[in-house]
Amino acid sequence: MAEVDAQADRRSEGIVINDDWPGYSLDLFNYPTHYSGDLDCVIIPHGVIMDRTERLARNIMDDLGDHDIVVLCVLKGGYQFCADLVERIKALSRNSNHTIPMRVHFIRLRSYLNDQSTEDLHILGAEDLSFLAGKNVLIVEGIVGTGKTMETLLEHVKAFKPKMIKVAGLLVKRVQHSLASVPDYVGFEIPNRFVVGYALDYNEYFRDLNHICIISESGKKKYKV
């Protein structure tokens, strides 16, 4: 990515994709033809996602190796990132003196209507997390915007008195009025544009894209509810 600043000096920082980054032409990649006209560009190709996820897995191994952890996978947008991240942590564990025994639990958050975040946050599967008491917890989320949703989830999880909480987020948006806290492990910092693919959706569409793409205005209209 010629115009992408790969500044990841601290692990809380991701690869920074500038606001003026035009993305890649869709003609350069394979994608489902039923989405023709619904996308503007590819902003992060699948291969780059995989490489960055492997790096995050290594960082997590370095920090948490030999600690039992409970992975909280935030559905639905985080399921692909979580699956790939856990798989790479397992691969590193098999070839290292450090191992991370893991349990995976799934919760679901919903706060979007079309392309707008709402104040109406639903947390499903998190009603009783008493098994987290005294445990090391890694929350895995696909995308973090203003941070309000994550802050609400963190407060909910803290109520069950875990020993430690870390957050891994594949994407963090640069948005106005965002909260100060950012995930401990960040894949990419991206412009404030609506992205889809790699399990990130727009009204349940586009989860079947391998790449992370920017949805077009015509795509928003087509799938609006």
Side-chain angles (χ1 to χ4, degrees), residues 66-78:
D66 295 329
H67 288 276
D68 288 19
I69 63 171
V70 178
V71 177
L72 282 186
C73 175
V74 180
L75 300 174
K76 295 181 181 177

Side-chain angles (χ1 to χ4, degrees), residues 35 75-80 108-110 196-211:
Y35 292 136
L75 300 174
K76 295 181 181 177
Y79 82 80
Q80 191 63 65
R108 183 178 178 185
L109 304 182
R110 184 172 179 86
V196 294
Y198 195 64
L200 301 173
D201 77 304
Y202 178 80
N203 294 330
E204 298 300 327
Y205 292 93
F206 301 102
R207 296 195 195 275
D208 51 341
L209 278 170
N210 284 335
H211 313 293

Side-chain angles (χ1 to χ4, degrees), residues 103-118:
R103 296 169 54 192
V104 181
H105 185 78
F106 299 92
I107 58 176
R108 183 178 178 185
L109 304 182
R110 184 172 179 86
S111 62
Y112 270 85
L113 178 64
N114 296 317
D115 62 345
Q116 298 297 315
S117 181
T118 70

Side-chain angles (χ1 to χ4, degrees), residues 21-31 39-43 211:
W21 168 244
Y24 295 100
S25 169
L26 293 163
D27 294 336
L28 298 174
F29 300 91
N30 290 320
Y31 67 97
L39 303 166
D40 278 342
C41 66
V42 173
I43 189 170
H211 313 293

Side-chain angles (χ1 to χ4, degrees), residues 166-212:
K166 296 286 188 180
V167 179
L170 177 63
L171 306 177
V172 172
K173 280 188 180 182
R174 285 190 300 277
V175 296
Q176 291 184 336
H177 312 302
S178 63
L179 300 179
S181 60
V182 297
D184 302 282
Y185 308 99
V186 177
F188 304 88
E189 180 186 306
I190 65 171
N192 186 18
R193 301 185 67 182
F194 201 91
V195 295
V196 294
Y198 195 64
L200 301 173
D201 77 304
Y202 178 80
N203 294 330
E204 298 300 327
Y205 292 93
F206 301 102
R207 296 195 195 275
D208 51 341
L209 278 170
N210 284 335
H211 313 293
I212 294 176

